[in-house]
């Protein structure tokens, strides 16, 4: 795959999957706009990307849930590079909640970060993606089965699935593609937030024991994102592509 001259926005680029995706695309000659909240980590990722092919990424340090931040990402990227070819929505988070909780703050926060942000960034990017016949790749969970504690997360993630499908149909006539890569639990720092009473090794063992799958590596996810974002299969559109090691399969 070759991303020469392709301008790619990656949100969550200071986190594990976003950072790994950025480095992988940099090795494929992509021109990158790296978006995240941790400026120090963004600069480290940008340095690694620049070392790959000598192409210096744009760094956009923002909290995407704040007013005007999504507009800043798209406008600065286009102003700097003159075009936009791919939007990769990697930013998101996991929080646990239940209807038995005292408030619905978790639902509000997950709606903002995991659904409204990718929706808004896609909306703002579409005029530019139409010009380049570009595409959007959303990152979402492969979880299909009900899990205690994941009430709001499951609802918002299902909404992102439907958004991917409906949005792809909505703009299909323009030549813009919209897809999602759906991943099982991946070896990232988010593991540390899922269960504060178990260390990472114990969580890995639990996943292996209950679902007969290994926790995935971020580089495997990055390669799938790059494949979906590439022009290798131009008729992949409106797809939610599962990378889950058969974790959701049931006879």
């Amino acid at each position: 795959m070759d991303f020469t001259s392709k301008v790619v926005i990656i949100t969550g680029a200071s986190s594990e999957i976003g950072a790994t995706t950025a480095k992988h695309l940099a090795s494929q000659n992509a021109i990158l706009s790296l978006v995240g909240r941790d400026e120090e980590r963004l600069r480290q990722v940008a340095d690694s990307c620049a070392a790959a092919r000598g192409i210096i990424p744009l760094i956009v340090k923002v909290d995407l849930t704040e007013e005007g931040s999504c507009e800043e990402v798209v406008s600065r990227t286009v102003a700097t590079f003159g075009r936009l070819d791919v939007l990769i929505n990697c930013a998101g988070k996991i929080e646990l909640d239940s209807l038995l909780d005292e408030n619905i703050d978790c639902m509000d926060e997950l709606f903002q970060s995991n659904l409204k942000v990718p929706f808004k960034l896609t909306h703002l990017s579409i005029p530019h993606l139409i010009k380049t016949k570009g595409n959007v790749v959303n990152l979402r969970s492969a979880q299909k089965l009900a899990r205690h504690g994941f009430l709001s997360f499951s609802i918002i993630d299902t909404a992102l699935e439907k958004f991917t499908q409906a949005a792809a149909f909505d703009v299909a006539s323009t030549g813009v593609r919209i897809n999602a890569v759906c991943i099982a639990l991946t070896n990232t720092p988010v593991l540390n937030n899922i269960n504060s009473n178990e260390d990472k090794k114990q969580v890995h063992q639990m996943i292996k024991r209950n679902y007969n799958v290994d926790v995935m590596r971020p580089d495997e996810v990055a390669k799938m994102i790059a494949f979906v974002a590439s022009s290798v299969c131009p008729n992949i559109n409106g797809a939610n592509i599962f990378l889950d090691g058969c974790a959701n399969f049931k006879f």
Side-chain angles (χ1 to χ4, degrees):
M1 290 174 286
D2 185 9
F3 283 83
T4 299
S5 300
K6 301 293 185 182
V7 176
V8 182
I9 292 175
I10 303 176
T11 69
S14 59
S15 64
E16 195 71 33
I17 294 175
T20 305
T21 301
K23 294 171 187 176
H24 180 69
L25 290 177
S27 71
Q28 306 298 318
N29 299 308
I31 303 169
L32 300 174
S33 177
L34 306 179
V35 184
R37 294 181 296 177
D38 189 325
E39 186 170 7
E40 181 179 352
R41 291 188 65 184
L42 278 175
R43 293 197 179 281
Q44 292 172 354
V45 175
D47 289 344
S48 297
C49 293
R53 290 288 189 271
I55 304 172
I56 301 175
L58 172 67
I59 293 176
V60 186
K61 178 187 175 298
V62 292
D63 180 341
L64 288 169
T65 63
E66 293 182 354
E67 189 68 29
S69 59
C70 291
E71 289 86 349
E72 179 182 352
V73 168
V74 176
S75 62
R76 284 186 58 189
T77 299
V78 175
T80 301
F81 300 122
R83 60 184 289 156
L84 176 61
D85 296 273
V86 181
L87 167 66
I88 300 176
N89 287 310
C90 276
K93 62 182 180 179
I94 294 176
E95 288 190 9
L96 307 184
D97 75 335
S98 166
L99 284 176
L100 301 176
D101 293 344
E102 294 182 356
N103 58 59
I104 61 168
D105 292 349
C106 180
M107 168 62 84
D108 291 337
E109 292 176 13
L110 289 176
F111 172 78
Q112 289 290 332
S113 62
N114 292 13
L115 184 61
K116 186 176 180 180
V117 165
F119 186 105
K120 190 169 186 178
L121 282 171
T122 301
H123 174 255
L124 293 167
S125 298
I126 286 296
H128 307 288
L129 295 174
I130 289 174
K131 295 176 183 177
T132 60
K133 303 302 180 186
N135 69 90
V136 178
V137 181
N138 296 317
L139 187 68
R140 51 172 295 260
S141 170
Q143 178 178 301
K144 286 186 174 181
L145 306 177
R147 298 279 183 265
H148 286 295
F150 288 87
L151 176 64
S152 292
F153 179 81
S154 297
I155 293 169
I156 298 301
D157 192 65
T158 300
L160 186 58
E161 173 189 10
K162 299 305 179 184
F163 166 64
T164 299
Q165 295 169 330
F169 181 79
D170 189 44
V171 299
S173 63
T174 68
V176 175
R177 297 183 297 120
I178 302 177
N179 296 289
V181 173
C182 313
I183 62 170
L185 200 58
T186 307
N187 190 9
T188 71
V190 76
L191 283 175
N192 298 325
N193 300 325
I194 292 177
N195 191 333
S196 60
N197 297 318
E198 294 187 54
D199 62 24
K200 187 178 295 186
K201 182 177 180 181
Q202 291 174 316
V203 173
H204 287 206
Q205 291 172 342
M206 181 272 292
I207 296 293
K208 180 69 174 178
R209 180 176 64 252
N210 291 342
Y211 306 112
N212 196 34
V213 294
D214 291 314
V215 175
M216 294 190 303
R217 303 185 315 274
D219 63 293
E220 182 178 0
V221 178
K223 290 173 184 176
M224 178 58 78
I225 291 172
F227 171 74
V228 176
S230 74
S231 58
V232 172
C233 294
N235 285 309
I236 295 179
N237 195 17
N240 284 271
I241 300 170
F242 281 76
L243 187 65
D244 67 348
C246 214
N248 287 291
F249 184 79
K250 295 182 70 176
F251 286 101

